[in-house]
Amino acid sequence: MMEKNVSRVRRIACTILGMLLVCMILTQMPVKAEAAKIISSEQYNGWSWSIDSDGKLLVEGTVSGYFIPHDWSWDENVDRITSAELNLSGVRACYALFENCTNLKSVIVGQNVRLIENGAFANCKNMSAIVVGKNVR
């Protein structure tokens, strides 16, 4: 009888230890973050823009000459934009680029942009970081 109780206690202890081991392994596994979803975007002749669910504006492609974003519709989404990345080539100047993006905090400007004009960050009250490529003036 005593042997049965000892055997039962061992099985229960092994089960508990096994469950603890599984819990420890599961807590050490990295949790995959869900990728941000595109909530608004448009494509034009050679370039495009998109805004994802994290508030990141991505502008990329090739533009000949001057780039004036108010001619296009991310202007309707300025309240959603919290960060931006500008990867354009062929751009000589960017006018009013992020004007009125009041929630914008950080911007990365690629090295192929040549000039950012005055007013590019007008009314960007929360701006805290700008990283610019080596060719930007």
Side-chain angles (χ1 to χ4, degrees):
M1 180 100 154
M2 182 82 148
E3 274 184 37
K4 284 186 180 181
N5 286 338
V6 170
S7 179
R8 179 189 263 176
V9 169
R10 283 185 185 158
R11 276 184 280 163
I12 292 172
C14 286
T15 302
I16 291 172
L17 287 174
M19 287 190 296
L20 285 173
L21 182 61
V22 168
C23 289
M24 287 173 51
I25 291 170
L26 289 177
T27 59
Q28 299 300 314
M29 293 177 68
V31 177
K32 219 177 196 181
E34 186 175 318
K37 294 178 177 33
I38 302 299
I39 58 172
S40 188
S41 67
E42 288 191 31
Q43 291 185 337
Y44 298 93
N45 190 18
W47 69 277
S48 64
W49 66 265
S50 62
I51 300 172
D52 68 21
S53 56
D54 290 338
K56 180 179 181 179
L57 169 66
L58 176 62
V59 184
E60 56 190 351
T62 303
V63 177
S64 295
Y66 297 95
F67 184 65
I68 305 170
H70 286 295
D71 291 347
W72 301 284
S73 62
W74 86 58
D75 208 28
E76 298 171 6
N77 295 286
V78 294
D79 292 338
R80 293 180 176 173
I81 300 170
T82 58
S83 66
E85 188 170 338
L86 187 63
N87 292 319
L88 292 173
S89 59
V91 177
R92 286 184 293 225
C94 297
Y95 295 98
L97 189 59
F98 302 109
E99 184 176 31
N100 297 319
C101 292
T102 56
N103 294 316
L104 183 63
K105 296 176 185 166
S106 63
V107 174
I108 298 172
V109 180
Q111 66 182 9
N112 292 320
V113 175
R114 299 289 182 243
L115 178 65
I116 302 228
E117 293 285 338
N118 290 337
F121 301 102
N123 299 316
C124 294
K125 299 171 184 170
N126 291 306
M127 178 65 71
S128 61
I130 301 173
V131 177
V132 295
K134 63 182 178 181
N135 298 321
V136 179
R137 297 185 287 140

